[in-house]
Amino acid sequence: MKIKGKYSESAILHAVMLCVAGVLSVAVFFVVLNLSGGKMPEIGTSSSSASGTSESTAAASSAPKEEEYEPDRELANEMMDAVTDLIFDNYTVLRLYYTKGMNHKDEPYGNAPEDGYYTVDSDTYSSLSQIEEIVDRTYTAECAEDIKTNPLGYGAIYKTRDNGTLGIIAGYTPMQYTRSWENPQFEIDPISDDNCKISITIHEKSDDSEVPLEAEMIKTDDGWRLTSVIF
């Protein structure tokens, strides 16, 4: 069972609005009918063919049908709430670690920092724990560790400096990124009680064309977590 939603935001995704709708399942019968040229497959006239077909038909009819997983209403609502929060936090992490970073204060006399990190100049974040808490509540432990230690291939983006301030690595270079997360639309496809696929549609900034993205969240002891960063 797939469930659709819409995540509305202001300039940096501060407002949340979602809606839930059911999506009809695929009618496999008509796909098969299409592939057979619009006709039902003909049954052979020989006794052996007829016997084989009869046995196959009997086996197929007696085989149990695979039921599509469908969570109860409480779990479905829990999944929708979780994916809404995770999309918001993923966008925050995307900006902090990959596409924007944060401003920093210059060292005295314009010197390069001896420890390789400048002090962050931010009214929102003042400690490493504030940032890493967002990462830890958004991703699985393995994914979170990669983000905190080496997201862009040249070491940890942030650390606590010797003077206790939050530091950002000198020479931070954001990755090129041309997509907009304004009003992303999403659809969840629950696989089991603790696994859920996510389809998200965002847009290119240049021409507003749609960009489809796929993700996955799993339920851990600490709650729902994304298995990877959604770009």
Side-chain angles (χ1 to χ4, degrees), residues 76-141:
N77 289 338
E78 177 186 313
M79 289 176 171
M80 288 296 290
D81 290 342
V83 75
T84 302
D85 291 339
L86 292 174
I87 288 175
F88 180 93
D89 285 339
N90 177 84
Y91 177 73
T92 300
V93 171
L94 191 63
R95 287 168 57 86
L96 286 174
Y97 283 85
Y98 296 92
T99 67
K100 187 175 178 64
M102 286 194 283
N103 295 329
H104 65 78
K105 301 176 182 178
D106 290 335
E107 292 289 280
Y109 311 109
N111 294 330
E114 293 183 359
D115 62 353
Y117 286 77
Y118 288 104
T119 295
V120 166
D121 185 8
S122 170
D123 295 330
T124 305
Y125 304 104
S126 60
S127 69
L128 182 62
S129 61
Q130 285 179 291
I131 299 175
E132 293 192 340
E133 193 276 330
I134 300 173
V135 178
D136 290 335
R137 75 186 184 207
T138 306
Y139 306 96
T140 57

Short mmCIF file of all heavy atoms in Angstrom, two decimals, residues 76-141:
data_model
loop_
_atom_site.label_atom_id
_atom_site.label_comp_id
_atom_site.label_asym_id
_atom_site.label_seq_id
_atom_site.Cartn_x
_atom_site.Cartn_y
_atom_site.Cartn_z
N ALA A 76 0.69 3.38 9.92
CA ALA A 76 0.76 4.21 8.72
C ALA A 76 0.95 5.68 9.10
O ALA A 76 1.76 6.40 8.49
CB ALA A 76 -0.50 4.03 7.88
N ASN A 77 0.21 6.13 10.11
CA ASN A 77 0.37 7.51 10.57
C ASN A 77 1.76 7.74 11.15
O ASN A 77 2.37 8.80 10.96
CB ASN A 77 -0.70 7.83 11.62
CG ASN A 77 -2.09 7.94 11.03
OD1 ASN A 77 -2.25 8.18 9.83
ND2 ASN A 77 -3.11 7.76 11.86
N GLU A 78 2.26 6.75 11.87
CA GLU A 78 3.61 6.84 12.43
C GLU A 78 4.65 6.97 11.33
O GLU A 78 5.58 7.78 11.42
CB GLU A 78 3.90 5.60 13.28
CG GLU A 78 5.30 5.56 13.87
CD GLU A 78 5.58 4.24 14.57
OE1 GLU A 78 4.72 3.80 15.36
OE2 GLU A 78 6.65 3.65 14.32
N MET A 79 4.49 6.19 10.26
CA MET A 79 5.42 6.26 9.13
C MET A 79 5.37 7.63 8.46
O MET A 79 6.41 8.20 8.10
CB MET A 79 5.09 5.17 8.13
CG MET A 79 5.42 3.76 8.58
SD MET A 79 4.89 2.53 7.35
CE MET A 79 5.66 1.04 8.01
N MET A 80 4.15 8.16 8.28
CA MET A 80 4.02 9.45 7.64
C MET A 80 4.64 10.56 8.48
O MET A 80 5.32 11.45 7.96
CB MET A 80 2.54 9.75 7.38
CG MET A 80 1.93 8.92 6.26
SD MET A 80 2.66 9.25 4.64
CE MET A 80 2.05 10.89 4.32
N ASP A 81 4.43 10.52 9.78
CA ASP A 81 5.04 11.51 10.66
C ASP A 81 6.56 11.41 10.61
O ASP A 81 7.27 12.42 10.57
CB ASP A 81 4.55 11.32 12.10
CG ASP A 81 3.09 11.69 12.29
OD1 ASP A 81 2.55 12.41 11.43
OD2 ASP A 81 2.49 11.26 13.29
N ALA A 82 7.05 10.17 10.62
CA ALA A 82 8.50 9.96 10.61
C ALA A 82 9.14 10.47 9.33
O ALA A 82 10.16 11.17 9.36
CB ALA A 82 8.80 8.47 10.80
N VAL A 83 8.55 10.15 8.17
CA VAL A 83 9.16 10.55 6.91
C VAL A 83 9.12 12.07 6.75
O VAL A 83 10.04 12.67 6.17
CB VAL A 83 8.48 9.84 5.72
CG1 VAL A 83 7.12 10.43 5.41
CG2 VAL A 83 9.37 9.92 4.47
N THR A 84 8.10 12.73 7.28
CA THR A 84 8.04 14.18 7.23
C THR A 84 9.19 14.80 8.00
O THR A 84 9.88 15.71 7.51
CB THR A 84 6.69 14.68 7.80
OG1 THR A 84 5.62 14.11 7.05
CG2 THR A 84 6.59 16.19 7.70
N ASP A 85 9.42 14.31 9.22
CA ASP A 85 10.53 14.81 10.02
C ASP A 85 11.88 14.49 9.38
O ASP A 85 12.80 15.32 9.38
CB ASP A 85 10.48 14.20 11.43
CG ASP A 85 9.30 14.71 12.24
OD1 ASP A 85 8.76 15.78 11.91
OD2 ASP A 85 8.89 14.01 13.20
N LEU A 86 11.98 13.29 8.82
CA LEU A 86 13.26 12.88 8.23
C LEU A 86 13.59 13.70 6.98
O LEU A 86 14.76 14.03 6.75
CB LEU A 86 13.22 11.39 7.89
CG LEU A 86 13.18 10.43 9.09
CD1 LEU A 86 13.00 8.99 8.63
CD2 LEU A 86 14.46 10.57 9.92
N ILE A 87 12.59 14.04 6.18
CA ILE A 87 12.84 14.87 5.01
C ILE A 87 13.33 16.26 5.44
O ILE A 87 14.27 16.82 4.86
CB ILE A 87 11.57 14.98 4.15
CG1 ILE A 87 11.30 13.65 3.44
CG2 ILE A 87 11.70 16.10 3.11
CD1 ILE A 87 10.00 13.64 2.65
N PHE A 88 12.71 16.81 6.47
CA PHE A 88 13.14 18.11 6.99
C PHE A 88 14.60 18.05 7.46
O PHE A 88 15.42 18.89 7.11
CB PHE A 88 12.23 18.53 8.14
CG PHE A 88 12.58 19.86 8.74
CD1 PHE A 88 11.98 21.02 8.30
CD2 PHE A 88 13.52 19.94 9.77
CE1 PHE A 88 12.32 22.25 8.86
CE2 PHE A 88 13.86 21.16 10.33
CZ PHE A 88 13.25 22.32 9.88
N ASP A 89 14.91 17.04 8.28
CA ASP A 89 16.26 16.93 8.83
C ASP A 89 17.28 16.59 7.75
O ASP A 89 18.44 17.03 7.81
CB ASP A 89 16.30 15.89 9.95
CG ASP A 89 15.65 16.40 11.23
OD1 ASP A 89 15.54 17.63 11.40
OD2 ASP A 89 15.26 15.56 12.07
N ASN A 90 16.89 15.78 6.77
CA ASN A 90 17.80 15.47 5.67
C ASN A 90 18.20 16.75 4.93
O ASN A 90 19.37 16.94 4.57
CB ASN A 90 17.14 14.49 4.71
CG ASN A 90 18.00 14.18 3.49
OD1 ASN A 90 18.88 13.32 3.53
ND2 ASN A 90 17.77 14.87 2.39
N TYR A 91 17.23 17.63 4.72
CA TYR A 91 17.51 18.90 4.05
C TYR A 91 18.48 19.75 4.88
O TYR A 91 19.39 20.38 4.35
CB TYR A 91 16.20 19.65 3.82
CG TYR A 91 16.36 21.01 3.19
CD1 TYR A 91 16.69 21.14 1.84
CD2 TYR A 91 16.18 22.17 3.94
CE1 TYR A 91 16.82 22.39 1.26
CE2 TYR A 91 16.32 23.42 3.36
CZ TYR A 91 16.64 23.53 2.02
OH TYR A 91 16.78 24.76 1.45
N THR A 92 18.29 19.75 6.20
CA THR A 92 19.19 20.50 7.08
C THR A 92 20.61 19.95 6.99
O THR A 92 21.58 20.71 6.86
CB THR A 92 18.69 20.42 8.54
OG1 THR A 92 17.38 20.99 8.62
CG2 THR A 92 19.62 21.18 9.46
N VAL A 93 20.75 18.64 7.07
CA VAL A 93 22.07 18.01 6.99
C VAL A 93 22.70 18.25 5.61
O VAL A 93 23.90 18.50 5.50
CB VAL A 93 21.96 16.49 7.27
CG1 VAL A 93 23.28 15.79 6.97
CG2 VAL A 93 21.55 16.27 8.72
N LEU A 94 21.89 18.18 4.58
CA LEU A 94 22.37 18.41 3.22
C LEU A 94 23.03 19.79 3.12
O LEU A 94 24.11 19.94 2.54
CB LEU A 94 21.21 18.29 2.24
CG LEU A 94 21.53 18.25 0.75
CD1 LEU A 94 22.36 17.02 0.40
CD2 LEU A 94 20.23 18.25 -0.06
N ARG A 95 22.40 20.79 3.70
CA ARG A 95 22.93 22.15 3.65
C ARG A 95 24.16 22.32 4.55
O ARG A 95 25.15 22.93 4.15
CB ARG A 95 21.85 23.15 4.04
CG ARG A 95 20.77 23.34 2.97
CD ARG A 95 19.57 24.11 3.49
NE ARG A 95 19.92 25.41 4.03
CZ ARG A 95 20.02 26.53 3.30
NH1 ARG A 95 19.81 26.48 2.01
NH2 ARG A 95 20.33 27.69 3.87
N LEU A 96 24.10 21.76 5.74
CA LEU A 96 25.20 21.94 6.69
C LEU A 96 26.48 21.25 6.24
O LEU A 96 27.57 21.81 6.38
CB LEU A 96 24.79 21.41 8.06
CG LEU A 96 23.79 22.25 8.86
CD1 LEU A 96 23.39 21.51 10.13
CD2 LEU A 96 24.39 23.61 9.21
N TYR A 97 26.34 20.06 5.70
CA TYR A 97 27.52 19.25 5.40
C TYR A 97 27.92 19.24 3.93
O TYR A 97 29.10 19.06 3.62
CB TYR A 97 27.30 17.81 5.86
CG TYR A 97 27.44 17.61 7.34
CD1 TYR A 97 26.37 17.85 8.20
CD2 TYR A 97 28.64 17.18 7.91
CE1 TYR A 97 26.48 17.67 9.57
CE2 TYR A 97 28.76 16.99 9.27
CZ TYR A 97 27.68 17.24 10.10
OH TYR A 97 27.80 17.06 11.46
N TYR A 98 26.97 19.40 3.03
CA TYR A 98 27.27 19.15 1.63
C TYR A 98 27.16 20.37 0.71
O TYR A 98 28.04 20.58 -0.13
CB TYR A 98 26.33 18.05 1.09
CG TYR A 98 26.54 16.71 1.74
CD1 TYR A 98 25.79 16.34 2.86
CD2 TYR A 98 27.48 15.81 1.25
CE1 TYR A 98 25.97 15.11 3.47
CE2 TYR A 98 27.67 14.57 1.85
CZ TYR A 98 26.92 14.23 2.96
OH TYR A 98 27.11 13.01 3.57
N THR A 99 26.12 21.15 0.82
CA THR A 99 25.85 22.15 -0.23
C THR A 99 26.04 23.60 0.19
O THR A 99 26.05 24.48 -0.65
CB THR A 99 24.41 22.00 -0.75
OG1 THR A 99 23.47 22.35 0.29
CG2 THR A 99 24.14 20.57 -1.21
N LYS A 100 26.17 23.87 1.49
CA LYS A 100 26.28 25.27 1.93
C LYS A 100 27.32 25.48 3.02
O LYS A 100 28.12 26.41 2.95
CB LYS A 100 24.91 25.76 2.41
CG LYS A 100 24.86 27.24 2.73
CD LYS A 100 23.45 27.67 3.09
CE LYS A 100 23.40 29.16 3.47
NZ LYS A 100 23.76 30.03 2.33
N GLY A 101 27.31 24.65 4.06
CA GLY A 101 28.22 24.87 5.18
C GLY A 101 27.76 26.03 6.04
O GLY A 101 26.58 26.41 6.04
N MET A 102 28.71 26.64 6.77
CA MET A 102 28.38 27.79 7.61
C MET A 102 29.50 28.83 7.52
O MET A 102 30.66 28.51 7.22
CB MET A 102 28.18 27.36 9.07
CG MET A 102 26.88 26.64 9.32
SD MET A 102 26.47 26.50 11.08
CE MET A 102 27.56 25.17 11.56
N ASN A 103 29.14 30.06 7.79
CA ASN A 103 30.12 31.14 7.82
C ASN A 103 31.08 30.93 8.98
O ASN A 103 30.76 30.25 9.97
CB ASN A 103 29.44 32.50 7.95
CG ASN A 103 28.58 32.83 6.74
OD1 ASN A 103 28.89 32.43 5.63
ND2 ASN A 103 27.50 33.56 6.97
N HIS A 104 32.25 31.53 8.87
CA HIS A 104 33.23 31.40 9.96
C HIS A 104 33.87 32.75 10.28
O HIS A 104 33.78 33.70 9.50
CB HIS A 104 34.32 30.39 9.58
CG HIS A 104 35.16 30.82 8.42
ND1 HIS A 104 36.17 31.74 8.52
CD2 HIS A 104 35.14 30.45 7.12
CE1 HIS A 104 36.75 31.92 7.35
NE2 HIS A 104 36.13 31.14 6.47
N LYS A 105 34.48 32.81 11.43
CA LYS A 105 35.21 33.99 11.86
C LYS A 105 36.67 33.86 11.44
O LYS A 105 37.25 32.76 11.50
CB LYS A 105 35.12 34.15 13.38
CG LYS A 105 33.70 34.29 13.90
CD LYS A 105 33.68 34.33 15.42
CE LYS A 105 32.25 34.41 15.96
NZ LYS A 105 32.22 34.42 17.44
N ASP A 106 37.26 34.96 11.02
CA ASP A 106 38.67 34.93 10.64
C ASP A 106 39.55 34.81 11.88
O ASP A 106 39.18 35.25 12.98
CB ASP A 106 39.05 36.19 9.87
CG ASP A 106 38.42 36.24 8.49
OD1 ASP A 106 38.12 35.16 7.95
OD2 ASP A 106 38.21 37.35 7.96
N GLU A 107 40.70 34.23 11.70
CA GLU A 107 41.70 34.15 12.76
C GLU A 107 42.35 35.52 12.97
O GLU A 107 42.32 36.37 12.08
CB GLU A 107 42.76 33.11 12.40
CG GLU A 107 42.27 31.68 12.38
CD GLU A 107 41.96 31.14 13.76
OE1 GLU A 107 42.90 30.75 14.47
OE2 GLU A 107 40.77 31.15 14.14
N PRO A 108 42.93 35.75 14.14
CA PRO A 108 43.62 37.02 14.37
C PRO A 108 44.68 37.29 13.29
O PRO A 108 45.41 36.37 12.89
CB PRO A 108 44.27 36.81 15.74
CG PRO A 108 43.39 35.81 16.42
CD PRO A 108 42.92 34.89 15.33
N TYR A 109 44.71 38.53 12.83
CA TYR A 109 45.67 38.98 11.82
C TYR A 109 45.52 38.25 10.49
O TYR A 109 46.42 38.27 9.65
CB TYR A 109 47.12 38.81 12.33
CG TYR A 109 47.34 39.38 13.70
CD1 TYR A 109 47.54 38.55 14.79
CD2 TYR A 109 47.33 40.76 13.92
CE1 TYR A 109 47.73 39.07 16.07
CE2 TYR A 109 47.51 41.30 15.19
CZ TYR A 109 47.71 40.45 16.26
OH TYR A 109 47.90 40.97 17.52
N GLY A 110 44.39 37.57 10.31
CA GLY A 110 44.16 36.89 9.05
C GLY A 110 44.96 35.62 8.86
O GLY A 110 45.09 35.11 7.74
N ASN A 111 45.50 35.08 9.95
CA ASN A 111 46.30 33.86 9.85
C ASN A 111 45.44 32.64 9.55
O ASN A 111 44.24 32.63 9.83
CB ASN A 111 47.06 33.61 11.16
CG ASN A 111 48.10 34.67 11.45
OD1 ASN A 111 48.65 35.27 10.51
ND2 ASN A 111 48.37 34.92 12.72
N ALA A 112 46.07 31.62 8.99
CA ALA A 112 45.38 30.34 8.82
C ALA A 112 45.28 29.66 10.18
O ALA A 112 46.21 29.76 11.00
CB ALA A 112 46.14 29.45 7.84
N PRO A 113 44.21 28.98 10.47
CA PRO A 113 44.07 28.32 11.77
C PRO A 113 45.07 27.18 11.93
O PRO A 113 45.26 26.37 11.02
CB PRO A 113 42.63 27.80 11.75
CG PRO A 113 42.29 27.67 10.30
CD PRO A 113 43.03 28.75 9.60
N GLU A 114 45.70 27.13 13.08
CA GLU A 114 46.73 26.11 13.32
C GLU A 114 46.14 24.69 13.33
O GLU A 114 46.81 23.74 12.94
CB GLU A 114 47.44 26.39 14.64
CG GLU A 114 48.28 27.67 14.63
CD GLU A 114 49.02 27.86 15.93
OE1 GLU A 114 48.87 27.00 16.84
OE2 GLU A 114 49.75 28.86 16.05
N ASP A 115 44.91 24.56 13.77
CA ASP A 115 44.30 23.23 13.84
C ASP A 115 43.53 22.87 12.57
O ASP A 115 42.92 21.80 12.49
CB ASP A 115 43.38 23.12 15.05
CG ASP A 115 42.22 24.11 15.01
OD1 ASP A 115 42.19 24.96 14.10
OD2 ASP A 115 41.33 24.03 15.88
N GLY A 116 43.54 23.77 11.58
CA GLY A 116 42.87 23.48 10.32
C GLY A 116 41.38 23.78 10.32
O GLY A 116 40.68 23.45 9.35
N TYR A 117 40.88 24.44 11.40
CA TYR A 117 39.45 24.74 11.49
C TYR A 117 39.24 26.19 11.93
O TYR A 117 39.93 26.68 12.83
CB TYR A 117 38.77 23.82 12.50
CG TYR A 117 38.58 22.40 12.00
CD1 TYR A 117 39.66 21.51 11.98
CD2 TYR A 117 37.36 21.95 11.54
CE1 TYR A 117 39.51 20.21 11.51
CE2 TYR A 117 37.18 20.65 11.08
CZ TYR A 117 38.26 19.80 11.06
OH TYR A 117 38.12 18.51 10.60
N TYR A 118 38.30 26.86 11.28
CA TYR A 118 37.87 28.19 11.69
C TYR A 118 36.70 28.06 12.68
O TYR A 118 35.97 27.08 12.67
CB TYR A 118 37.40 29.00 10.49
CG TYR A 118 38.50 29.46 9.56
CD1 TYR A 118 38.71 28.81 8.34
CD2 TYR A 118 39.30 30.54 9.89
CE1 TYR A 118 39.71 29.24 7.47
CE2 TYR A 118 40.31 30.98 9.03
CZ TYR A 118 40.50 30.32 7.82
OH TYR A 118 41.49 30.75 6.98
N THR A 119 36.53 29.08 13.49
CA THR A 119 35.38 29.12 14.39
C THR A 119 34.12 29.50 13.62
O THR A 119 34.12 30.49 12.88
CB THR A 119 35.61 30.11 15.54
OG1 THR A 119 36.70 29.65 16.35
CG2 THR A 119 34.37 30.25 16.41
N VAL A 120 33.07 28.73 13.78
CA VAL A 120 31.81 28.98 13.09
C VAL A 120 31.19 30.28 13.58
O VAL A 120 31.20 30.58 14.78
CB VAL A 120 30.84 27.80 13.31
CG1 VAL A 120 29.42 28.17 12.90
CG2 VAL A 120 31.31 26.58 12.52
N ASP A 121 30.65 31.05 12.66
CA ASP A 121 29.94 32.29 12.98
C ASP A 121 28.45 32.07 12.69
O ASP A 121 27.99 32.24 11.57
CB ASP A 121 30.49 33.44 12.14
CG ASP A 121 29.88 34.77 12.51
OD1 ASP A 121 29.14 34.84 13.50
OD2 ASP A 121 30.14 35.76 11.79
N SER A 122 27.70 31.65 13.71
CA SER A 122 26.30 31.29 13.51
C SER A 122 25.47 31.64 14.74
O SER A 122 25.93 31.46 15.88
CB SER A 122 26.17 29.79 13.23
OG SER A 122 24.82 29.38 13.25
N ASP A 123 24.27 32.15 14.50
CA ASP A 123 23.34 32.41 15.59
C ASP A 123 22.53 31.16 15.94
O ASP A 123 21.83 31.14 16.96
CB ASP A 123 22.37 33.54 15.22
CG ASP A 123 23.07 34.88 15.04
OD1 ASP A 123 24.10 35.10 15.71
OD2 ASP A 123 22.60 35.69 14.22
N THR A 124 22.60 30.15 15.10
CA THR A 124 21.80 28.94 15.30
C THR A 124 22.58 27.83 15.97
O THR A 124 22.07 27.13 16.85
CB THR A 124 21.26 28.44 13.94
OG1 THR A 124 20.55 29.50 13.30
CG2 THR A 124 20.34 27.24 14.12
N TYR A 125 23.82 27.63 15.55
CA TYR A 125 24.62 26.51 16.06
C TYR A 125 25.89 27.03 16.74
O TYR A 125 26.62 27.85 16.18
CB TYR A 125 25.01 25.57 14.92
CG TYR A 125 23.82 25.04 14.15
CD1 TYR A 125 23.51 25.55 12.88
CD2 TYR A 125 22.99 24.06 14.69
CE1 TYR A 125 22.42 25.08 12.17
CE2 TYR A 125 21.90 23.58 13.99
CZ TYR A 125 21.62 24.09 12.73
OH TYR A 125 20.53 23.63 12.02
N SER A 126 26.13 26.53 17.93
CA SER A 126 27.32 26.95 18.68
C SER A 126 28.14 25.79 19.19
O SER A 126 29.21 25.99 19.76
CB SER A 126 26.90 27.84 19.86
OG SER A 126 26.03 27.13 20.73
N SER A 127 27.65 24.56 19.00
CA SER A 127 28.39 23.39 19.49
C SER A 127 28.27 22.24 18.51
O SER A 127 27.29 22.14 17.75
CB SER A 127 27.88 22.95 20.87
OG SER A 127 26.58 22.41 20.76
N LEU A 128 29.25 21.37 18.56
CA LEU A 128 29.26 20.20 17.69
C LEU A 128 28.09 19.27 18.01
O LEU A 128 27.50 18.67 17.11
CB LEU A 128 30.59 19.45 17.85
CG LEU A 128 30.79 18.22 16.96
CD1 LEU A 128 30.77 18.61 15.49
CD2 LEU A 128 32.10 17.52 17.31
N SER A 129 27.74 19.18 19.27
CA SER A 129 26.67 18.26 19.67
C SER A 129 25.33 18.66 19.05
O SER A 129 24.51 17.79 18.75
CB SER A 129 26.55 18.23 21.20
OG SER A 129 26.23 19.51 21.72
N GLN A 130 25.10 19.96 18.85
CA GLN A 130 23.85 20.41 18.23
C GLN A 130 23.72 19.86 16.81
O GLN A 130 22.64 19.41 16.40
CB GLN A 130 23.81 21.94 18.17
CG GLN A 130 23.54 22.63 19.49
CD GLN A 130 23.54 24.13 19.32
OE1 GLN A 130 24.58 24.74 19.07
NE2 GLN A 130 22.38 24.74 19.44
N ILE A 131 24.80 19.90 16.07
CA ILE A 131 24.77 19.44 14.68
C ILE A 131 24.70 17.93 14.61
O ILE A 131 23.90 17.36 13.85
CB ILE A 131 26.01 19.95 13.92
CG1 ILE A 131 26.02 21.48 13.91
CG2 ILE A 131 26.04 19.42 12.49
CD1 ILE A 131 27.25 22.07 13.28
N GLU A 132 25.53 17.26 15.39
CA GLU A 132 25.58 15.81 15.32
C GLU A 132 24.30 15.17 15.85
O GLU A 132 23.96 14.05 15.45
CB GLU A 132 26.81 15.30 16.07
CG GLU A 132 28.11 15.70 15.38
CD GLU A 132 29.32 14.97 15.92
OE1 GLU A 132 29.24 14.44 17.06
OE2 GLU A 132 30.34 14.92 15.20
N GLU A 133 23.58 15.86 16.71
CA GLU A 133 22.30 15.33 17.19
C GLU A 133 21.31 15.23 16.04
O GLU A 133 20.52 14.28 15.96
CB GLU A 133 21.74 16.24 18.29
CG GLU A 133 20.57 15.65 19.07
CD GLU A 133 19.23 15.87 18.39
OE1 GLU A 133 19.07 16.88 17.69
OE2 GLU A 133 18.33 15.02 18.55
N ILE A 134 21.36 16.20 15.12
CA ILE A 134 20.47 16.16 13.94
C ILE A 134 20.84 14.97 13.07
O ILE A 134 19.97 14.23 12.57
CB ILE A 134 20.57 17.46 13.14
CG1 ILE A 134 20.17 18.65 14.00
CG2 ILE A 134 19.70 17.40 11.89
CD1 ILE A 134 20.40 20.00 13.34
N VAL A 135 22.13 14.76 12.86
CA VAL A 135 22.60 13.65 12.04
C VAL A 135 22.17 12.31 12.65
O VAL A 135 21.64 11.44 11.96
CB VAL A 135 24.13 13.69 11.88
CG1 VAL A 135 24.62 12.49 11.06
CG2 VAL A 135 24.56 14.99 11.19
N ASP A 136 22.37 12.17 13.95
CA ASP A 136 22.08 10.90 14.62
C ASP A 136 20.59 10.57 14.63
O ASP A 136 20.23 9.39 14.61
CB ASP A 136 22.60 10.94 16.06
CG ASP A 136 24.12 10.91 16.11
OD1 ASP A 136 24.75 10.41 15.16
OD2 ASP A 136 24.68 11.41 17.12
N ARG A 137 19.72 11.57 14.67
CA ARG A 137 18.29 11.30 14.72
C ARG A 137 17.70 11.10 13.32
O ARG A 137 16.52 10.76 13.19
CB ARG A 137 17.55 12.43 15.44
CG ARG A 137 17.39 13.71 14.62
CD ARG A 137 16.80 14.83 15.43
NE ARG A 137 16.55 16.02 14.63
CZ ARG A 137 16.53 17.26 15.11
NH1 ARG A 137 16.75 17.46 16.41
NH2 ARG A 137 16.28 18.29 14.32
N THR A 138 18.52 11.30 12.30
CA THR A 138 18.03 11.23 10.93
C THR A 138 18.46 9.96 10.21
O THR A 138 17.70 9.41 9.40
CB THR A 138 18.51 12.45 10.12
OG1 THR A 138 18.14 13.65 10.82
CG2 THR A 138 17.90 12.48 8.73
N TYR A 139 19.66 9.46 10.49
CA TYR A 139 20.23 8.36 9.72
C TYR A 139 20.60 7.17 10.60
O TYR A 139 20.77 7.31 11.82
CB TYR A 139 21.48 8.84 8.97
CG TYR A 139 21.23 10.06 8.12
CD1 TYR A 139 21.53 11.33 8.60
CD2 TYR A 139 20.65 9.95 6.85
CE1 TYR A 139 21.28 12.46 7.83
CE2 TYR A 139 20.40 11.08 6.08
CZ TYR A 139 20.71 12.33 6.58
OH TYR A 139 20.46 13.45 5.83
N THR A 140 20.74 6.03 9.97
CA THR A 140 21.23 4.85 10.68
C THR A 140 22.65 5.12 11.19
O THR A 140 23.34 6.02 10.70
CB THR A 140 21.25 3.63 9.76
OG1 THR A 140 22.05 3.92 8.60
CG2 THR A 140 19.84 3.26 9.31
N ALA A 141 23.07 4.35 12.17
CA ALA A 141 24.36 4.61 12.84
C ALA A 141 25.52 4.63 11.85
O ALA A 141 26.39 5.50 11.92
CB ALA A 141 24.59 3.56 13.91
#
